[in-house]
Amino acid sequence: MSNLITRTITGIIFISIILFSFYFSIESFVGLIVLIQILASYEFFKMIKAKYPSISHIKSAITNVISFIILVFGYFYCDKLEFISILCLTPFLILFISELYSKHTSPLTNMAISIFPAILVSLPLFTMILNSTNNNSGLFNYSYHISLSLFFIIWTNDTGAYISGITLGKHRLFERISPKKSWEGFFGGMLFSIIIAYVLSKFFIEMPFWKWGIAAFVVVITGTYGDLFESMIKRQLEIKDSGKILPGHGGILDRFDSILFAAPFYYITIEILSRL
């Protein structure tokens, strides 16, 4: 019971911070995205340190954070995308040069793992910024509801999958990686997500229900893969949670695994649907 209370309180605070940051201003939205990236990057390297002790988790985390900050601030304050794209790579190039002096026995593994969060964390978070901002002659229009809707779909899918899985779950979805997930839970989550897509279409009318439905369908599938993907990583590392920053829920990566995996596909889907 005490764990349930802890999870509930943490969940309420977590959701409140997300809603406030997205709704208040573009600055609070971007600030939250940067904070998530910082915490997730550090958490990732701390998580793998026991398995790969030769990796400097502080140095690698700082490299990922600096690269992401360059990308984000460059997006808002520099109109030369090519320059920013190259500039955000330089921290990694410097990190790679440092491997020449580290005398590690597996520099290739170290470099590959060091750049991994740039794909797993930074790129998906940046697509949220792209989804919610539009550059109009140097002035950025902010539409918080596009990225916030991604959270609504994921949260609704998780709730629906949990309820359906607990009450109806019999057929395992991917037992080798996640023994508790079921096909009944997956389709239950999908049904709940289509319902929230209908609700979103009533509030955010720039897209009709059928477009929100397609977006929800893509998010559920890719978000499920995101959850399974992190489970695969944790299984290899032999850990239960990615961190302890969210009492009762684990770490940042535990709470954002589905969102991070779904975000790039969601961005692509919204871009395609906006042209139909």
Side-chain angles (χ1 to χ4, degrees):
M1 180 61 72
S2 60
N3 185 56
L4 177 60
I5 294 174
T6 301
R7 284 179 60 87
T8 302
I9 294 174
T10 302
I12 292 173
I13 295 173
F14 173 72
I15 292 174
S16 298
I17 292 174
I18 296 290
L19 294 176
F20 175 81
S21 300
F22 276 60
Y23 179 76
F24 187 73
S25 69
I26 186 173
E27 290 80 12
S28 61
F29 165 68
V30 174
L32 178 67
I33 295 297
V34 172
L35 178 60
I36 292 171
Q37 200 276 344
I38 293 172
L39 294 174
S41 295
Y42 177 74
E43 186 177 271
F44 174 82
F45 289 108
K46 187 177 180 181
M47 180 174 65
I48 68 169
K49 186 169 177 59
K51 201 78 170 181
Y52 301 94
S54 64
I55 295 177
S56 173
H57 69 289
I58 296 292
K59 183 170 65 176
S60 297
I62 290 174
T63 300
N64 276 270
V65 169
I66 292 175
S67 176
F68 185 68
I69 290 176
I70 290 172
L71 180 61
V72 171
F73 280 85
Y75 170 68
F76 285 103
Y77 296 108
C78 180
D79 57 358
K80 292 186 177 181
L81 185 60
E82 300 88 351
F83 174 74
I84 296 303
S85 299
I86 300 300
L87 188 61
C88 73
L89 290 178
T90 53
F92 290 106
L93 297 177
I94 295 172
L95 181 67
F96 296 163
I97 291 173
S98 72
E99 282 294 326
L100 290 170
Y101 303 92
S102 63
K103 299 180 181 180
H104 293 152
T105 58
S106 54
L108 187 60
T109 299
N110 291 348
M111 289 186 290
I113 293 176
S114 294
I115 203 171
F116 185 66
I119 301 171
L120 179 68
V121 178
S122 298
L123 179 60
L125 288 175
F126 187 63
T127 62
M128 291 188 196
I129 294 177
L130 294 178
N131 257 335
S132 298
T133 58
N134 180 36
N135 190 349
N136 185 12
S137 301
L139 298 176
F140 283 87
N141 299 321
Y142 177 46
S143 303
Y144 69 90
H145 63 278
I146 299 296
S147 285
L148 189 56
S149 295
L150 169 62
F151 282 79
F152 286 147
I153 294 170
I154 289 291
W155 291 338
T156 304
N157 174 62
D158 289 346
T159 302
Y162 177 78
I163 294 173
S164 302
I166 288 294
T167 57
L168 304 172
K170 293 182 180 179
H171 303 87
R172 297 304 97 187
L173 176 66
F174 215 117
E175 190 169 10
R176 178 172 60 87
I177 300 297
S178 185
K180 293 183 179 181
K181 290 188 181 301
S182 67
W183 280 105
E184 291 82 0
F186 172 78
F187 287 114
M190 179 71 76
L191 177 60
F192 273 60
S193 298
I194 296 300
I195 293 172
I196 198 64
Y198 176 77
V199 175
L200 291 172
S201 71
K202 296 302 179 182
F203 283 91
F204 309 132
I205 59 174
E206 68 267 51
M207 290 204 308
F209 168 55
W210 69 270
K211 288 187 177 182
W212 278 114
I214 291 175
F217 179 78
V218 171
V219 167
V220 170
I221 293 176
T222 55
T224 300
Y225 274 117
D227 194 356
L228 291 170
F229 183 75
E230 202 209 350
S231 295
M232 179 180 68
I233 293 176
K234 290 190 293 187
R235 184 173 287 269
Q236 179 178 342
L237 298 177
E238 299 177 339
I239 59 175
K240 182 178 184 294
D241 297 319
S242 63
K244 299 179 180 180
I245 194 171
L246 300 172
H249 290 266
I252 291 292
L253 291 174
D254 292 320
R255 291 303 93 204
F256 282 87
D257 52 1
S258 298
I259 290 173
L260 290 173
F261 217 83
F265 294 97
Y266 179 69
Y267 169 73
I268 294 170
T269 302
I270 294 296
E271 284 294 303
I272 292 174
L273 292 175
S274 67
R275 288 164 170 75
L276 297 180

